[in-house]
Amino acid sequence: MLELGARAPDFHDLKGADGASYSLDSFDGKPVLVVIFTCNHCPYVVAYEDRIVGIQRDYGERGVQVVAINANDEKAYPEDGYPEMVKRAKAKGFNF
């Protein structure tokens, strides 16, 4: 567990729903990076999607950047595969 305010562990080449690849360095200009672990199949996660969009909308101009990472196994949860995440992001208008 990281201490509150600790620097996030580095990550590289995470493919976004927008098709771009991201690393931790991609967000160097942002004073606050919010990392959320998400998926398509969990009803608790799905229930918060509009709230996550709202956080990015309301705080983005203040330098907050929300990043959602799906770390699920698409073999165990096919609905969490990359193509399905892209469809969901477009359908829901994800702004993060």
Side-chain angles (χ1 to χ4, degrees):
M1 179 82 126
L2 295 175
E3 293 291 323
L4 186 60
R7 181 165 171 81
D10 204 9
F11 57 85
H12 299 279
D13 299 322
L14 290 182
K15 191 171 180 183
D18 61 0
S21 289
Y22 293 93
S23 67
L24 185 59
D25 291 341
S26 301
F27 307 101
D28 273 350
K30 301 291 183 176
V32 177
L33 181 63
V34 178
V35 178
I36 297 173
F37 291 91
T38 188
C39 66
N40 284 346
H41 80 275
C42 175
Y44 295 104
V45 171
V46 171
Y48 271 83
E49 289 173 336
D50 292 336
R51 295 174 199 168
I52 298 167
V53 169
I55 291 168
Q56 183 61 59
R57 180 193 63 234
D58 296 344
Y59 294 94
E61 290 183 11
R62 299 182 199 179
V64 173
Q65 180 62 55
V66 175
V67 174
I69 297 174
N70 179 348
N72 281 355
D73 176 2
E74 67 182 291
K75 290 179 184 171
Y77 300 98
E79 62 270 41
D80 288 341
Y82 181 74
E84 296 304 314
M85 291 300 296
V86 170
K87 287 180 195 174
R88 184 140 192 98
K90 287 181 182 177
K92 295 291 292 183
F94 289 170
N95 56 356
F96 49 89

